[in-house]
C-alpha cells in the first residue's frame, strides 16, 4: 500500500527542522513497489513561538500533513508527538538526508513485513 512521508527541511535536502519550528514540509510518496518520489512541498505557520506552543496552530500543522504516514524532523517534543500519533502519523527524529531517511523507512517496513510473515501462528 502506498504512503506519504513529510520531511521538515529548510532546503529540501536534509531533515534539519524541529517539528514545532518547521514552516515547510517536503512530501514524498512511496509506491507499492517501494520506489519513491518527492511530490511537492507544503507550507504552514510554525506552531512554536519562542518556546510557547499554540495548540490551535499545532492542530493546523498536523492537518497540513494529515495524509502522511510518517513525519521526519530533527527533533520533536512529547506534546507534538502525541498529537501526531493520535492522528496515526508516526514522528521520527533524524538529521539525515531526506532520501536516506526515506530509504531507512522503506527498509524498516520491508523487514517488519518479512518478520510478520515468518512469525509462527499458534
Amino acid at each position: 500500500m502506498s504512503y506519504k512521508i513529510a520531511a521538515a527541511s529548510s532546503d529540501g535536502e536534509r531533515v534539519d527542522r524541529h517539528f514545532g519550528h518547521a514552516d515547510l514540509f517536503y512530501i514524498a510518496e512511496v509506491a507499492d513497489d517501494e520506489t519513491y518520489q518527492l511530490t511537492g512541498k507544503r507550507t504552514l505557520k510554525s506552531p512554536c513561538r519562542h518556546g510557547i506552543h499554540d495548540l490551535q496552530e499545532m492542530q493546523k500543522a498536523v492537518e497540513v500533513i494529515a495524509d502522511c504516514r510518517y513525519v521526519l524532523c530533527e527533533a520533536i517534543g512529547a506534546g507534538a508527538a502525541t498529537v501526531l500519533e493520535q492522528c496515526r502519523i508516526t514522528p521520527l527524529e533524524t538529521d539525515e538526508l531526506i532520501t536516506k531517511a526515506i530509504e531507512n523507512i522503506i527498509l524498516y517496513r520491508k523487514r517488519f513485513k518479512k518478520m510478520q510473515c515468518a512469525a509462527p501462528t499458534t
Side-chain angles (χ1 to χ4, degrees):
M1 181 162 82
S2 67
Y3 56 94
K4 293 181 183 175
I5 300 170
S9 175
S10 63
D11 62 5
E13 298 291 323
R14 182 170 291 281
V15 179
D16 64 357
R17 301 294 290 164
H18 184 289
F19 181 82
H21 297 208
D23 56 3
L24 181 63
F25 287 96
Y26 288 82
I27 307 299
E29 186 158 358
V30 181
D32 293 339
D33 65 359
E34 299 174 338
T35 59
Y36 69 92
Q37 64 180 350
L38 296 176
T39 58
K41 53 188 174 181
R42 299 179 188 168
T43 59
L44 63 142
K45 183 178 177 183
S46 61
C48 183
R49 299 282 181 257
H50 307 293
I52 299 170
H53 297 89
D54 183 325
L55 185 58
Q56 188 173 16
E57 291 302 324
M58 182 70 67
Q59 289 292 347
K60 287 180 185 177
V62 172
E63 288 172 14
V64 168
I65 58 169
D67 62 332
C68 296
R69 178 67 186 96
Y70 299 93
V71 63
L72 301 166
C73 41
E74 179 188 37
I76 187 166
T82 299
V83 172
L84 287 164
E85 289 166 351
Q86 288 171 345
C87 294
R88 302 187 65 127
I89 302 170
T90 302
L92 300 168
E93 291 183 342
T94 185
D95 61 359
E96 295 272 1
L97 292 173
I98 293 172
T99 54
K100 179 67 174 168
I102 291 169
E103 290 164 6
N104 286 340
I105 291 171
I106 293 168
L107 181 61
Y108 169 79
R109 288 176 59 99
K110 184 186 293 186
R111 288 180 177 167
F112 185 76
K113 184 177 180 180
K114 190 180 285 188
M115 288 183 342
Q116 284 183 319
C117 292
T121 57
T122 57

